[in-house]
Amino acid sequence: MLSPESSFDEPLSHKTPMLGLKLWVVIGLVVVFSIVLILAFLTSMYIMIQNRKRLRKDVMISEKYKLPILHVPHVSKEIKVVGDQEMNVKGSKSSGRFLDPLVLFSGRRLKKNSYDNESRISIEKSNTVSSSFISSVDLHSPLMALPDQFSHLEWGHWFTLRELQLATNFFSDDHIIGDGGYGIVYKGDLINGTQVAIKKLHNHLGQAEKEFRVEVDAIGHVRHKNLVRLLGFCIEGTQRMLIYEYVKNGNLEQWLHGQKCSLGILDWEKRMKILLGTAKALAYLHEAIEPKVVHRDIKSSNILIDDDFNAKVSDFGLAKLLGSENTHITTRVMGTFGYVAPEYAKTGLLNEKSDIYSFGVVLLETITGRDPVDYGRAAHEINLVEWLKTMIGSKRSEEVIDPRFEIRPSTKALKRALLAALRCLDPDYTKRPKMSQVVQMMESDDDQMTSRNDRSRAHSKNTNNAHKVTNEAPRIEHAGRRKSASSRK
Ligand SMILES: Nc1ncnc2c1ncn2[C@@H]1O[C@H](COP(=O)(O)OP(=O)(O)OP(=O)(O)O)[C@@H](O)[C@H]1O
């Protein structure tokens, strides 16, 4: 007789057509498989909900800071508190060195120092890679291998190599914009449509590391309409990349001497707009932040131009930070031939006045359309600064203007620009004006020019032969003053 169990077991023990497995084995497998499916479904739902939440947060942050929607690490929004007594104000050490321009320029001081009022509209909030974010990344990531080295990266986006490869079609040649001394610059199109410039640093003997840190220290936190904006960075293995806003319209060198000339000759107003913007950016770096930033490589190819012909100063790879306790530092001479200040070239003595000299050279280059050093010219014309001093000395300042101008600037405008350039080029660096004064000179109307010229003439009375340039400047101004006086009659 069969027991009840055996009558129940019997059908379960029947072999099924599925690989000859017994029925109870098949049922077991189906149950286990269903449980796994349900668990997988629940897990993916949970991950999806978390991702959505994170993305929503990223979008909100990205919209707020007008940054690409990629990795937006944990953000801290600090507005740093500053005293408004001095232009050279200090940021709190714990919250980063640089100041929020909104705070900096929001007081009475702003009106007096109106040279930089563009800064009011740009609100810097440090987009901080928090320590919690850093400690949550993959333990094998390069960042974790170098925690101290990069702990100062308290800003911007951390781009992955993969994102940048996708943006540049794997760094293909047709994305190359240019090849500078420190790396190749690529144009990148991020998946959200943002165009960026990616500087992939060469890594000769750790050079990438050095350049990377210098650039990040110099402009990582600063915002100014006339400074190219550093959006973020990429650190992977030995790769170091810097990601900037993409500036569409080439650089000043290309517009004066290169490929952009075929699009037409830059008119006087555009040239002066570009130079004024450059002067404002330098005034900001030298006078509005602490420690101040000395760029060290001001030249026409480092002045990028946007669609509205605004200047965007770029390439901070050689920059030096100068605390208020230092009037100068001594350093290895770097920079570009033709633009370097004489005292810096001779002694390595560096302060912001070296940038002011280089700015003077760029201003002359822009007025005359000539290269700072041009071996294709007659011997006495090879060096632009020397040639210009001779021309002004022999009262031929009207002849120095770029002959390609379709409409020449007024004599007054030309003389104003030449005067500004010559004062920046004073061989005695202590006599060079501050960048904010240069901005005022370039913006000032004729009456202001006249009174400043009087002061400048008095100041130059006791100059000697070595300061020939400052003696010549009033001569130009004098002519300008007579003209404006007669025109008022
Ligand atoms: N943010 C940017 N947007 C658009 N083009 C850029 C940007 N940054 C740099 N470029 C262009 O990339 C090229 C290389 O720039 P980079 O500053 O590296 O070198 P450089 O100024 O040509 O040389 P150097 O090493 O002597 O400074 C230049 O043509 C420059 O105009």
Side-chain angles (χ1 to χ4, degrees), residues 370-424:
R370 291 179 176 224
D371 272 315
V373 180
D374 185 350
Y375 290 103
R377 295 188 182 271
H380 68 287
E381 294 187 23
I382 289 175
N383 183 304
L384 175 59
V385 175
E386 293 310 318
W387 170 72
L388 199 111
K389 286 183 196 171
T390 327
M391 291 297 279
I392 289 175
S394 35
K395 301 198 168 128
R396 294 172 64 192
S397 55
E398 294 279 344
E399 295 170 42
V400 303
I401 187 106
D402 189 341
R404 296 170 299 173
F405 276 123
E406 280 162 17
I407 302 171
R408 284 173 63 94
S410 70
T411 304
K412 261 183 282 183
L414 171 63
K415 286 180 174 169
R416 179 184 304 162
L418 281 174
L419 169 66
L422 288 172
R423 294 208 49 210
C424 293

Side-chain angles (χ1 to χ4, degrees), residues 14-31 33:
H14 278 162
K15 290 207 171 166
T16 62
M18 272 177 67
L19 302 168
L21 294 172
K22 289 186 178 167
L23 184 58
W24 67 266
V25 176
V26 174
I27 292 172
L29 282 175
V30 169
V31 170
F33 188 65

Side-chain angles (χ1 to χ4, degrees), residues 465-484:
N465 218 15
H467 305 142
K468 208 169 151 202
V469 175
T470 39
N471 285 334
E472 284 160 359
R475 241 185 290 157
I476 309 172
E477 298 154 21
H478 193 68
R481 188 160 68 101
R482 267 208 310 272
K483 199 151 188 279
S484 68

Side-chain angles (χ1 to χ4, degrees), residues 255-289:
W255 278 97
L256 292 177
H257 322 289
Q259 64 191 67
K260 295 279 181 189
C261 291
S262 60
L263 303 176
I265 296 303
L266 266 191
D267 64 33
W268 177 262
E269 280 69 34
K270 289 201 183 88
R271 293 191 197 197
M272 288 305 115
K273 181 178 178 181
I274 294 164
L275 268 286
L276 186 58
T278 307
K280 286 179 179 177
L282 288 175
Y284 177 72
L285 293 173
H286 294 172
E287 297 167 42
I289 54 179

Side-chain angles (χ1 to χ4, degrees), residues 267-467:
D267 64 33
W268 177 262
E269 280 69 34
K270 289 201 183 88
R271 293 191 197 197
M272 288 305 115
K273 181 178 178 181
I274 294 164
L275 268 286
L276 186 58
T278 307
K280 286 179 179 177
L282 288 175
Y284 177 72
L285 293 173
H286 294 172
E287 297 167 42
I289 54 179
E290 167 69 29
K292 66 181 90 168
V293 175
V294 182
H295 184 286
R296 284 214 297 174
D297 201 13
I298 292 296
K299 57 177 174 177
S300 53
S301 67
N302 283 340
I303 300 171
L304 306 180
I305 298 173
D306 75 7
D307 281 339
D308 294 324
F309 290 90
N310 292 304
K312 303 264 183 190
V313 175
S314 75
D315 204 356
F316 285 74
L318 293 183
K320 285 270 178 222
L321 306 181
L322 220 61
S324 52
E325 69 281 6
N326 306 109
T327 53
H328 67 270
I329 52 170
T330 316
T331 164
R332 199 150 58 93
V333 177
M334 305 287 269
T336 303
F337 187 53
Y339 294 93
V340 176
E343 75 283 354
Y344 178 47
K346 276 187 208 133
T347 63
L349 181 135
L350 176 85
N351 63 22
E352 70 276 18
K353 299 288 184 180
S354 325
D355 280 351
I356 297 171
Y357 183 95
S358 308
F359 176 83
V361 177
V362 178
L363 187 48
L364 282 193
E365 182 182 353
T366 309
I367 296 168
T368 61
R370 291 179 176 224
D371 272 315
V373 180
D374 185 350
Y375 290 103
R377 295 188 182 271
H380 68 287
E381 294 187 23
I382 289 175
N383 183 304
L384 175 59
V385 175
E386 293 310 318
W387 170 72
L388 199 111
K389 286 183 196 171
T390 327
M391 291 297 279
I392 289 175
S394 35
K395 301 198 168 128
R396 294 172 64 192
S397 55
E398 294 279 344
E399 295 170 42
V400 303
I401 187 106
D402 189 341
R404 296 170 299 173
F405 276 123
E406 280 162 17
I407 302 171
R408 284 173 63 94
S410 70
T411 304
K412 261 183 282 183
L414 171 63
K415 286 180 174 169
R416 179 184 304 162
L418 281 174
L419 169 66
L422 288 172
R423 294 208 49 210
C424 293
L425 293 166
D426 199 311
D428 179 351
Y429 76 88
T430 61
K431 295 209 168 78
R432 288 175 207 148
K434 291 203 293 189
M435 244 15 252
S436 55
Q437 294 171 321
V438 177
V439 170
Q440 283 171 3
M441 288 172 80
M442 293 180 73
E443 280 180 329
S444 64
D445 62 30
D446 291 330
D447 287 344
Q448 284 173 318
M449 277 301 278
T450 306
S451 58
R452 229 193 324 279
N453 293 346
D454 289 343
R455 283 204 299 278
S456 144
R457 223 183 13 256
H459 176 69
S460 63
K461 252 186 187 167
N462 49 4
T463 51
N464 55 30
N465 218 15
H467 305 142

Side-chain angles (χ1 to χ4, degrees), residues 177-183 185 197 199 228 244-248 250-251 254 297 299 301-302 304 314-315 336:
I177 312 172
D179 191 353
Y182 289 92
V185 182
K199 193 188 243 185
V228 73
Y244 305 87
E245 66 172 309
Y246 178 68
V247 186
K248 286 200 181 103
N251 62 48
Q254 290 166 343
D297 201 13
K299 57 177 174 177
S301 67
N302 283 340
L304 306 180
S314 75
D315 204 356
T336 303

